[in-house]
Amino acid sequence: MAGETSLATLLRSMSPQLNAGEYVFCTLRDGQWPAGLDIIGSFREQEGLTVILERRHAEQAGFSFDYVAAWITLNVHSALEAVGLTAAFATALGQSGISCNVIAGYYHDHLFVGQADAERAMQVLRDLAANAE
C-alpha cells in the first residue's frame, strides 16, 4: 500500500493523535537491551544504541535520561519519499518555540515533543492542518 505524496493532502489529513504516557530517549553503550523491555523505537549510532521507551520502563531498567517527551502520531499514511511534510510541521512547531524529534515509520510520522509542550504542539498541528492549501 503506497503512502500519500501530495503535501497539501498530507497536511490537511495529518490528524495528529497524542499518545498517552511519558517517553524518554536513552542510550545503551553496549548495544544490548534487557530481555522483555518494551522498546518504542531504536536507532544504532556510533556511540551506542538509542532507544525510545516509556519513562516508567526506563526507570525500572535503571536507565538514565534527561528529556521527557510526549508522543504524537500523525495519522496520515505518508510515503517515505514524500517531500515537505517534515519541513512544514517542524517549521510550524519551531515558530511556536516547540522542539520536535521525528521518527518516520513505514506508515506514519511520530513526533516527540517536550511533555510540557504537548497540548500546545497539538494545537499548532491542528491549526497547520486546518489552514493547509
Side-chain angles (χ1 to χ4, degrees):
M1 176 178 194
E4 181 60 55
T5 58
S6 163
L7 180 57
T9 301
L10 286 166
L11 290 171
R12 280 193 307 269
S13 359
M14 61 183 175
S15 187
Q17 171 191 330
L18 180 60
N19 298 289
E22 295 181 322
Y23 299 87
V24 297
F25 289 66
C26 302
T27 186
L28 308 178
R29 302 232 184 267
D30 65 2
Q32 303 295 317
W33 62 69
L37 194 59
D38 188 18
I39 301 294
I40 303 298
S42 66
F43 196 85
R44 186 166 307 282
E45 299 180 277
Q46 187 174 13
E47 298 84 357
L49 180 67
T50 296
V51 293
I52 306 165
L53 62 161
E54 281 191 69
R55 179 182 187 164
R56 65 186 171 91
H57 293 159
E59 290 172 340
Q60 289 169 356
F63 296 160
S64 62
F65 55 86
D66 57 8
Y67 176 73
V68 179
W71 172 17
I72 299 171
T73 299
L74 301 184
N75 285 309
V76 59
H77 182 183
S78 56
L80 289 169
E81 69 270 16
V83 175
L85 178 61
T86 303
F89 66 69
T91 298
L93 291 169
Q95 288 173 342
S96 295
I98 300 171
S99 73
C100 178
N101 296 281
V102 183
I103 304 293
Y106 183 83
Y107 292 100
H108 308 288
D109 290 290
H110 304 274
L111 290 58
F112 292 87
V113 301
Q115 187 69 37
D117 293 324
E119 290 302 328
R120 201 161 49 97
M122 286 293 291
Q123 190 58 54
V124 168
L125 295 169
R126 286 186 199 112
D127 291 347
L128 180 61
N131 295 314
E133 297 179 4

